[in-house]
Amino acid sequence: VRRLEVRLSAVGPDRSYSIVIDAAPGAEERLAAEVAPRAAGGLGLLTDETVARLHGPRVEQALRARGLDPARVTVPDGEGSKSLRTVETVAEALAQRGLDRRAALLALGGGVVGDLGGFVASVFLRGVTVIQAPTTLLAQVDASVGGKTGVNLPSGKNLVGTFHQPALVYADVTALATLSPRDLASGLAEVVKHGAIASAELFELLERRAEAARAGDPELLEELVERSCAIKAAVVAADERETGAGGRERLNFGHTVGHALETASLAAAPLRHGEAVALGMLAAARVGARLGLGDATLEARLAPLLGRLGLPVDLDAHLSPAVLARVGVDKKRAGGRVSFVLVDRIGSSLVTPLAPAELEQILLAGKNRC
Ligand SMILES: NC(=O)c1ccc[n+]([C@@H]2O[C@H](COP(=O)([O-])OP(=O)(O)OC[C@H]3O[C@@H](n4cnc5c(N)ncnc54)[C@H](O)[C@@H]3O)[C@@H](O)[C@H]2O)c1
Ligand SMILES: [Zn+2]
């Protein structure tokens, strides 16, 4: 069991918190011991159907053993649950169970449950504690840390949201054993992202051990979670609210085009978040090379790695004017330009303003050449 600290040093009360990475059997009991003192006003337990089935019983049992009687709310799996409609359902269920302002909400699940739970906790009774218990690799390496919460609108992803830092992040790495290969790969995409923007060492570790990562080697996954959380915690501590100067924007590497691809895919053949990010990183590599600001060899190194990890690499097949038109509605848009993240060499990144039209021109030109 290892503990990392996210140090938030803004004015006001100290909101720093721990990330616990627990790879030993019986993690649910240690989680319950951490939850109990934080849930004086009752406990909500938010999860989705798959997680409820696979991991709900052992977690609930451990919570009961600590004298807690959680109000469980189970939402359907998938991105569709990140909606304002679901926010009302969850909040109403918590209200019916009489939770008060000293209550906590335990978000047990992937990034969908984490983003939804964080958002509900930030607005329910004007804000209650949220504890993140991520169960997907993606949520353990990325979504559960940093306090970004939100739900989607028909116009795009995460267009309604808040910053609401968790009181604790508890990552039970053993829970990843039940993850589907597709969801495991999706999480690995965000690990690649962390390596590409901030750690050549992490990127090279993935290059050396891609097959073991894809197969879900438990010790390797533990190391990837730890390294990723350390990177994300440091970036978030330096720039909690993504004001630009502190560098949090760099975590959006691959996400400008990635979000557009993800939203466009929802109607027909939904891409996993990490799959869309994998394609988005390839797009960003191409844009960086063309602008002369990014590492010119990045796409050639990124594509084989993503492929070995089980992620899509057929960028051109996914790009279309309709997809790229969505880039303009991304919420990070400012003054008609988007803040575009480039990797200048592996392990180092920068942000540059880019007009959506320029982005479209570069990416669709690449497509026509092929
Ligand atoms: N807040 C942030 O900073 C942040 C960062 C990255 C991504 N996100 C968001 O995270 C979401 C994606 O998260 P995700 O990939 O975890 O998706 P998800 O939450 O939909 O989980 C994927 C699938 O895995 C299942 N699952 C969860 N844990 C499991 C387990 N241990 N065993 C078996 N199955 C399990 C879920 O039921 C679901 O069907 C997106 O909405 C994205 O926008 C947020
Ligand atoms: Zn992401």
Side-chain angles (χ1 to χ4, degrees):
V1 183
R2 314 222 188 137
R3 248 186 142 91
L4 298 168
E5 299 301 315
V6 182
R7 302 210 174 281
L8 300 172
S9 54
V11 281
D14 183 14
R15 291 161 303 111
S16 298
Y17 57 95
S18 302
I19 304 169
V20 180
I21 299 163
D22 190 336
E28 61 279 357
E29 282 150 29
R30 293 180 289 279
L31 166 65
E34 298 262 9
V35 170
R38 294 178 164 98
L43 179 68
L45 172 60
L46 179 67
T47 190
D48 71 19
E49 283 162 5
T50 297
V51 179
R53 182 164 47 78
L54 294 171
H55 301 284
R58 71 180 167 96
V59 172
E60 263 189 80
Q61 196 179 6
L63 293 169
R64 288 186 197 287
R66 288 271 161 187
L68 295 161
D69 178 23
R72 175 151 62 80
V73 188
T74 306
V75 299
D77 286 24
E79 196 64 28
S81 284
K82 272 177 59 172
S83 71
L84 284 169
R85 189 177 306 229
T86 317
V87 170
E88 182 174 6
T89 308
V90 176
E92 174 62 18
L94 301 180
Q96 293 222 350
R97 284 287 299 267
L99 268 66
D100 72 31
R101 295 185 70 174
R102 297 161 308 139
L105 180 62
L106 177 61
L108 177 72
V112 165
V113 164
D115 280 11
L116 172 68
F119 183 71
V120 170
S122 73
V123 293
F124 181 66
L125 305 178
R126 300 202 176 78
V128 298
T129 294
V130 67
I131 296 168
Q132 295 285 354
T135 62
T136 61
L137 181 62
L138 187 135
Q140 293 191 358
V141 300
D142 193 347
S144 64
V145 177
K148 276 194 186 178
T149 84
V151 297
N152 305 327
L153 292 180
S155 284
K157 274 183 57 78
N158 303 333
L159 292 179
V160 172
T162 56
F163 284 101
H164 189 57
Q165 297 292 344
L168 173 74
V169 177
Y170 204 102
D172 170 2
V173 182
T174 69
L176 303 179
T178 55
L179 213 53
S180 70
R182 197 172 170 191
D183 284 306
L184 186 65
S186 176
L188 290 169
E190 300 278 18
V191 183
V192 172
K193 177 192 79 178
H194 286 135
I197 62 164
S199 168
E201 209 180 302
L202 176 55
F203 194 94
E204 284 156 15
L205 171 64
L206 287 168
E207 287 185 316
R208 276 198 310 280
R209 306 212 51 207
E211 285 70 27
R214 186 177 183 172
D217 178 290
E219 277 168 27
L220 180 57
L221 290 185
E222 185 184 356
E223 181 169 3
L224 297 178
V225 172
E226 211 177 301
R227 284 173 179 265
S228 282
C229 285
I231 291 168
K232 185 146 184 193
V235 173
V236 167
D239 184 13
E240 186 187 349
R241 295 209 164 211
E242 197 169 312
T243 52
R248 185 166 180 168
E249 281 181 314
R250 291 182 298 142
L251 295 169
N252 297 327
F253 178 58
H255 283 61
T256 303
V257 175
H259 276 163
L261 287 165
E262 189 180 358
T263 305
S265 77
L266 290 180
L271 287 168
R272 292 285 198 274
H273 178 73
E275 292 171 342
V277 169
L279 294 165
M281 289 191 289
L282 290 170
R286 187 177 293 178
V287 170
R290 194 66 60 83
L291 292 175
L293 295 170
D295 180 340
T297 64
L298 183 63
E299 193 176 351
R301 214 164 141 192
L302 207 46
L305 175 60
L306 295 171
R308 286 166 68 205
L309 294 172
L311 289 158
V313 293
D314 48 345
L315 175 61
D316 292 308
H318 284 86
L319 289 177
S320 68
V323 166
L324 290 170
R326 290 180 185 272
V327 168
V329 302
D330 188 276
K331 66 185 179 304
K332 282 140 206 147
R333 182 182 186 176
R337 294 178 153 209
V338 291
S339 293
F340 202 80
V341 187
L342 298 173
V343 167
D344 50 350
R345 65 187 149 75
I346 286 171
S348 163
S349 44
L350 54 91
V351 182
T352 188
L354 194 65
E358 198 178 351
L359 187 68
E360 195 170 328
Q361 197 188 349
I362 293 172
L363 290 173
L364 294 177
K367 183 182 167 103
N368 293 339
R369 263 207 329 275
C370 298

